[in-house]
Amino acid sequence: MEITYLELKGMGCAACANKIQKAIENVAGVAECQVNFAMAQATVKYNSHKTNLHKIQQSVTDIGFGAEPLQETINLAKKERENRRIEQQITNKVVVGGIISGILIIGSLPMMTGLNIPWIPIWLHNSWLQLILTTPVMFWCGKSFLIGAIKGLKNHSVDMNTLVALGTGAAYLYSLFPTFFPDFFTRQELNPDVYYEAAAVIITLILLGRLLEHRARKQTSAAIQKLMGLQAKTARVIREEKEVDISIEEVKIGDLIVVRPGEKIPVDGVIKEGNSTVDESMVTGESLPVEKQSGDEVIGATINKNGSFKFEAARVGKDTVLAQIIKLVQQAQSSKAPIQKLADMVISWFVPVVMGIAIATFLIWISMTGNLTMSLITTVSVLIIACPCALGLATPTSVMVGTGKGAENGILIKGADSLEVAHKIQAIILDKTGTLTQGKPKVTNYITTQGTANENEIKLLKIAAAVERKSEHPLAEAIVEYAQAQGVEFPLAEPEKFEAMSGMGVQGIVSDRLVQIGTSRWMNELGIDITNLQSHQNKLEADGKTTAWIAIDGKIEGIFGIADTLKPSSKNVVQTLQKIGIEVVMLTGDNQQTAEAIAAEVGINRIFAEVLPDQKAETVKNLQLEKKKRTDNHQIVAMVGDGINDAPALAQADVGIAIGTGTDVAIAASDITLISGDLTGIVTAIKLSRATMKNIRQNLFFAFIYNTLGIPIAAGILYPLTGWLLNPIIAGGAMAFSSVSVVTNALRLRKFKPQ
């Protein structure tokens, strides 16, 4: 299966988005399609053996819209120019429509009020003048509605364009008859009233609503635009032993780049010469500058503070950390939350039902009163007020702002579904090493059975380091670093038949001797007697330290005590999660005693210790099956981890949260990534999810209530009680501003602050 992202053209409302989604889903070979009305984008998953991108694009073109592949790297200046062009077009039409509408309303005041208003010139009442003034508004300002309605007619579908075109068209066409045949109305003892102002004002108000909506929607994607704007424009590269400034697009992998104090780092790379502190807050959300020296990695778009250095470019273009963050945020913003399905279902039948209500309204009023004017007013009001745009915008606008806000705080949320599920988390599993702890363990104790005579402890340490050097486990790195610090001579012997025993330890042959280093459980399984150092193990583990045993040819020779310090935020994060009603569980491969010591330090009451890597996913599954309430099908569980061995558990969890300082595999398997590795991001992500879902519910409630109340009022349900009918002009204004209010409410999420 392949996934492609399309930029859509010509959508006028949420019904258009539904229409495009159905058209793409009907293409043979398409497995799934999600159309985001707010972003005008489609995410399509398809089988490349059964269909291709051209066929998918053609399916959109065939129903009167456009679709182009979304560029992986967006030209921010080009995007801004396009936005300004669209905004200017709508503004011009609003200004022209507003001036003409103002003149028409003044000219129609005597007819609307039934009063003789002396200060209004009689020629402004002239229906021919009103026809001349209204026609450009109808056919130039309202051109997009008419074209959209015609396209829909050709494709046997209806949408918002149809409603607007029918409503304004009815008012315009009806007004032509008294304009051309006033005597006919006089003979029938009817007033030859015209409603040109209704058509003009409705179109102008809807366009004004679109203009305000367009401006507001630009703000919903402000976070991603801010990320795009972080990229440096040029880089100072050493070419032929000279420093030259080149554009960022020309930088190649392997280029040596010079960075001076206060400059942005152009691309990702590794420092080769010099040292400095770097402000990485715009990418990681971490406020404190980070010390950097030779051998350290630097991230493009971060800011060099006070030193200068040279670094080698390692990732450029779409492969940089910033480009990947932008891509993930784009994907998240174009995805759909499950809660959107309700709105989509309503929208799919909404417009046809509204047209049915409008026809019924006209027939009821004409049969009850015989008054054509009254019947027309109510019918036009129903058609105009019943726009499903607010429903279509309710969810995606909030998701756009929420995911963008997350990115600003160093939290990458991969999809709207993850954002929605996160607010329901009941239990959260925290991996110990690298998550609760720094993941940088250090050897604090080293005890041998042979003592220090004849440098026995150095000889043993050299053998142990030779085997551990082949492992990538944090504990192995700690042993190798300890050996270096103790003066062990490098290079070390190359072990034969090296093997890493998952969750147990490592083994290999050094100088024809079998070396095995690992847990006490593994030693017991191997039948190796550990009683001679058992008392040391008990003391070390009581202090919260991890022990690693050294066996040579089946006999215990020594033991390491290894400590991994807690992250500064761990205790506070655990307490905060517990306060907001989430059970916190610790998961570790360490023995029970060490796990209990660490758990007690941070305030965790429930522990899963001595869990092998292949058992982690099963542990998550078992916790999911625990029901907190009788109504729960299963408990919503989040898993937080950073290692390769955490990937299956992250995938099994309802919400997988990866520490961004961890492995690429763990990050790929997760739903949410904390770029900086700061656990505070867990609390921020959950609170952001809750705030976003609350915002979505507010939007959906408003959109549903608006249409539920608006349509009956427009149909004249209050007339028997009040003698009042909803003017189509007011209906147009209400419809236009319903969408604006939804987007404006979504924008309140921009004020969200992590605590």
Side-chain angles (χ1 to χ4, degrees), residues 311-618:
F311 77 97
E312 183 180 312
R315 290 183 295 271
V316 300
K318 65 180 182 181
D319 297 321
T320 63
V321 169
L322 180 64
Q324 292 299 309
I325 290 172
I326 291 170
K327 185 177 180 181
L328 281 170
V329 175
Q330 285 176 328
Q331 291 173 6
Q333 291 187 339
S334 63
S335 63
K336 277 189 180 181
I339 197 171
Q340 176 69 18
K341 290 178 181 177
L342 174 63
D344 286 346
M345 183 182 70
V346 172
I347 290 166
S348 64
W349 53 257
F350 190 82
V351 175
V353 167
V354 167
M355 290 182 66
I357 293 172
I359 293 169
T361 299
F362 181 83
L363 294 175
I364 291 170
W365 277 99
I366 199 73
S367 63
M368 288 174 59
T369 66
N371 189 321
L372 183 62
T373 300
M374 190 177 289
S375 304
L376 180 69
I377 288 173
T378 53
T379 303
V380 171
S381 294
V382 169
L383 289 170
I384 295 301
I385 204 169
C387 171
C389 285
L391 277 174
L393 290 167
T395 300
T397 48
S398 298
V399 168
M400 286 169 69
V401 180
T403 51
K405 198 67 186 175
E408 285 180 16
N409 289 283
I411 301 165
L412 292 185
I413 301 166
K414 286 191 177 177
D417 52 345
S418 306
L419 189 66
E420 179 171 339
V421 176
H423 91 285
K424 297 186 287 188
I425 292 172
Q426 296 166 281
I428 189 162
I429 300 175
L430 301 175
D431 181 57
K432 180 179 79 70
T433 306
T435 301
L436 279 169
T437 64
Q438 297 282 7
K440 296 278 186 183
K442 294 185 181 298
V443 174
T444 57
N445 304 81
Y446 171 50
I447 303 155
T448 66
T449 58
Q450 300 297 323
T452 59
N454 301 318
E455 294 189 335
N456 283 326
E457 81 283 7
I458 295 295
K459 292 175 184 177
L460 180 63
L461 187 57
K462 188 171 184 177
I463 293 171
V467 178
E468 292 287 18
R469 190 168 58 89
K470 302 289 288 184
S471 172
E472 295 180 354
H473 195 281
L475 298 184
E477 291 179 14
I479 291 171
V480 174
E481 286 178 7
Y482 179 74
Q484 288 176 316
Q486 296 303 309
V488 170
E489 292 183 9
F490 281 69
L492 301 169
E494 191 70 22
E496 299 174 12
K497 297 182 180 179
F498 173 83
E499 190 176 2
M501 314 300 292
S502 182
M504 296 292 191
V506 293
Q507 65 181 17
I509 296 174
V510 180
S511 302
D512 296 323
R513 303 182 74 185
L514 176 62
V515 182
Q516 294 168 307
I517 307 172
T519 64
S520 58
R521 183 169 68 171
W522 188 35
M523 296 297 145
N524 289 328
E525 288 181 8
L526 293 171
I528 297 173
D529 184 14
I530 63 172
T531 54
N532 56 342
L533 293 178
Q534 189 96 49
S535 59
H536 292 286
Q537 178 199 22
N538 295 338
K539 185 176 184 308
L540 291 170
E541 290 179 354
D543 292 337
K545 297 177 182 179
T546 300
T547 55
W549 296 81
I550 313 165
I552 308 289
D553 293 330
K555 182 182 176 183
I556 288 297
E557 296 290 346
I559 185 174
F560 290 108
I562 303 171
D564 186 5
T565 57
L566 285 168
K567 289 180 179 177
S569 59
S570 293
K571 187 173 182 179
N572 183 54
V573 167
V574 169
Q575 291 175 346
T576 304
L577 289 170
Q578 290 168 339
K579 282 179 184 176
I580 61 176
I582 296 174
E583 180 187 13
V584 183
V585 179
M586 189 177 83
L587 180 68
T588 180
D590 263 344
N591 62 74
Q592 187 72 28
Q593 194 172 4
T594 301
E596 286 176 357
I598 295 292
E601 198 172 342
V602 294
I604 294 176
N605 300 317
R606 192 172 182 187
I607 308 159
F608 292 107
E610 299 181 40
V611 179
L612 297 177
D614 57 356
Q615 296 173 336
K616 287 187 175 183
E618 189 65 27

Side-chain angles (χ1 to χ4, degrees), residues 656-685:
I657 303 175
I659 303 298
T661 49
T663 65
D664 291 341
V665 177
I667 293 170
S670 68
D671 302 298
I672 297 172
T673 300
L674 310 180
I675 304 173
S676 68
D678 186 354
L679 287 189
T680 307
I682 299 171
V683 178
T684 303

Side-chain angles (χ1 to χ4, degrees), residues 405 409 684 687-688 691 748-755:
K405 198 67 186 175
N409 289 283
T684 303
K687 289 186 175 181
L688 179 61
R748 290 193 307 110
L749 279 172
R750 294 175 67 187
K751 297 179 181 178
F752 173 86
K753 292 181 180 179
Q755 297 176 354

Side-chain angles (χ1 to χ4, degrees), residues 33-233:
C33 174
Q34 290 186 349
V35 174
N36 186 312
F37 170 54
M39 289 194 71
Q41 289 179 11
T43 304
V44 186
K45 187 185 291 185
Y46 66 98
N47 186 331
S48 57
H49 297 295
K50 294 182 179 180
T51 190
N52 54 48
L53 185 56
H54 175 72
K55 288 181 181 177
I56 294 169
Q57 288 177 264
Q58 192 60 47
S59 70
V60 178
T61 305
D62 289 344
I63 58 170
F65 301 94
E68 294 294 333
L70 189 66
Q71 298 300 313
E72 286 193 357
T73 54
I74 293 178
N75 185 318
L76 196 59
K78 183 180 177 182
K79 189 78 174 175
E80 184 60 30
R81 285 196 301 271
E82 178 66 12
N83 277 331
R84 280 202 301 265
R85 185 187 65 80
I86 294 171
E87 190 171 311
Q88 190 59 53
Q89 282 183 346
I90 303 174
T91 302
N92 292 341
K93 291 181 178 181
V94 169
V95 170
V96 171
I99 293 170
I100 292 175
S101 296
I103 296 170
L104 290 170
I105 287 176
I106 292 171
S108 302
L109 280 175
M111 182 269 289
M112 288 191 286
T113 61
L115 301 173
N116 182 23
I117 305 175
W119 56 267
I120 297 178
I122 194 166
W123 51 268
L124 274 182
H125 304 195
N126 188 282
S127 58
W128 284 99
L129 175 64
Q130 293 196 1
L131 170 60
I132 293 168
L133 290 172
T134 304
T135 299
V137 178
M138 186 76 192
F139 295 100
W140 179 64
C141 299
K143 181 181 176 182
S144 60
F145 304 123
L146 298 173
I147 291 175
I150 292 168
K151 285 180 179 178
L153 189 62
K154 287 180 179 177
N155 292 290
H156 311 291
S157 61
V158 291
D159 55 25
M160 172 199 157
N161 292 314
T162 312
L163 297 179
V164 175
L166 280 174
T168 56
Y172 182 83
L173 290 173
Y174 171 82
S175 300
L176 290 178
F177 285 96
T179 302
F180 284 94
F181 310 107
D183 293 341
F184 171 80
F185 282 78
T186 304
R187 287 197 301 271
Q188 299 296 320
E189 297 183 354
L190 296 170
N191 291 324
D193 296 331
V194 292
Y195 294 92
Y196 292 119
E197 83 288 343
V201 174
I202 287 168
I203 288 172
T204 303
L205 285 172
I206 294 172
L207 286 173
L208 177 60
R210 279 197 177 177
L211 177 62
L212 297 174
E213 181 189 318
H214 178 78
R215 288 178 177 173
R217 278 162 66 176
K218 276 201 306 183
Q219 295 178 58
T220 64
S221 57
I224 201 166
Q225 290 174 6
K226 182 180 176 183
L227 285 171
M228 291 174 183
L230 292 176
Q231 181 68 65
K233 303 297 185 290

